[in-house]
Amino acid sequence: MSSQIRKKLTTQDIVTNNLRKAILTGEFKQGDRIVQDELAKRYGVSRMPIREAIKKLEFEGIVKSEPRRGTFVYPIGLKDIEEIYTLRLIHESLAVEKALPHITKEDIKELESILIEMEDIEMNDDTLEYYSGLNENFHNKLIEKCPWRRVVQNARIFWGHYLSIGTTLILTEHHDKVKIEHQQIFDAVSKGDTTLLKNTIEYHIRRNMNELILHLQK
């Protein structure tokens, strides 16, 4: 991992990524109790980044805190994945359609800068969390000029769930496909082609959903 990537990753990022991966790969089973002190010893950190990681994973929907009982693992199932990805597709494709007329040359330059940085990263466990942040920035940039704020808000909510159930398991395995699709999305934005942009976004989301479902069915 390069020193630049290392500087940009926080302890919380690393702990969140490791804990998320342990849950999604089955190291922690459904119903297992998450004990903060044990995780702090396991990862060699204080309880603060553990608490913050748990908050993020609770928002993502793969752990649940219960009053007077503690925090427990609740992995997302195949039906949840289909629902979340479908809702994300609906909101994000609508958001990019409404945003495109308002995207400026400066916005396109920012998108290109993010895209170049993503393409330069060698994907592995150490760089995954940072890459996921760039990936989120890229998609957020696509929709930020959408004048329909509720659509943007919903797209970002489902993006939060998408990160938890998608990137850890499939980004490293299908990185080449992701790179091609992101370039196609960027090209559609540069051309100002609404139909092409919606089609490439929808294909990108559906392909991610199908790859994740196949991965979990193995």
Side-chain angles (χ1 to χ4, degrees):
M1 181 170 60
S2 72
S3 58
Q4 183 182 13
I5 299 293
R6 189 184 300 275
K7 287 178 183 177
K8 293 181 180 179
L9 282 174
T10 66
T11 300
Q12 181 189 327
D13 291 333
I14 296 168
V15 170
T16 302
N17 185 44
N18 288 337
L19 182 54
R20 185 193 292 120
K21 185 176 181 181
I23 293 171
L24 295 175
T25 56
E27 189 174 344
F28 288 100
K29 307 298 183 185
Q30 181 166 345
D32 282 353
R33 189 166 182 264
I34 300 293
V35 181
Q36 293 188 21
D37 287 339
E38 291 179 3
L39 287 179
K41 290 178 182 178
R42 171 176 176 155
Y43 296 127
V45 298
S46 68
R47 291 184 62 181
M48 179 62 74
I50 299 295
R51 284 197 296 268
E52 294 304 314
I54 288 173
K55 286 180 183 178
K56 183 173 183 181
L57 296 182
E58 187 166 17
F59 169 75
E60 293 173 355
I62 58 176
V63 303
K64 183 178 180 182
S65 296
E66 300 180 4
R68 297 181 295 280
R69 293 193 65 224
T71 302
F72 298 86
V73 173
Y74 288 97
I76 292 174
L78 297 180
K79 289 183 179 179
D80 299 307
I81 290 169
E82 186 175 4
E83 179 185 4
I84 290 167
Y85 270 80
T86 300
L87 288 169
R88 181 194 164 207
L89 185 152
I90 292 168
H91 289 92
E92 189 167 336
S93 62
L94 179 58
V96 297
E97 176 186 5
K98 296 298 180 182
L100 187 58
H102 306 285
I103 290 178
T104 66
K105 290 182 179 179
E106 288 302 315
D107 294 323
I108 293 174
K109 286 181 181 178
E110 287 186 41
L111 279 169
E112 185 176 27
S113 177
I114 296 169
L115 191 62
I116 290 170
E117 190 170 3
M118 291 169 70
E119 291 178 346
D120 286 344
I121 293 177
E122 182 179 347
M123 289 297 296
N124 54 53
D125 287 347
D126 291 330
T127 59
L128 181 57
E129 193 74 20
Y130 180 61
Y131 181 89
S132 295
L134 290 173
N135 195 22
E136 185 174 9
N137 290 343
F138 180 80
H139 284 268
N140 275 333
K141 189 66 184 174
L142 290 171
I143 66 175
E144 71 175 8
K145 292 295 180 68
C146 171
W148 290 13
R149 306 321 300 169
R150 294 175 184 85
V151 172
V152 173
Q153 182 180 20
N154 285 331
R156 287 175 175 164
I157 287 171
F158 292 113
W159 175 264
H161 289 296
Y162 160 79
L163 278 177
S164 72
I165 62 178
T167 54
T168 301
L169 292 179
I170 61 175
L171 266 178
T172 53
E173 295 180 10
H174 303 285
H175 185 45
D176 289 340
K177 293 179 184 177
V178 174
K179 286 170 65 175
I180 292 170
E181 290 163 13
H182 281 165
Q183 184 63 55
Q184 291 171 338
I185 291 168
F186 175 77
D187 290 343
V189 173
S190 299
K191 293 174 183 177
D193 190 326
T194 303
T195 301
L196 181 60
L197 179 57
K198 284 194 70 176
N199 288 342
T200 53
I201 284 283
E202 289 176 3
Y203 176 83
H204 176 62
I205 297 172
R206 283 198 182 96
R207 200 267 312 155
N208 273 282
M209 178 183 71
N210 292 333
E211 298 282 9
L212 180 58
I213 289 172
L214 286 173
H215 182 101
L216 294 177
Q217 287 177 331
K218 290 179 182 178

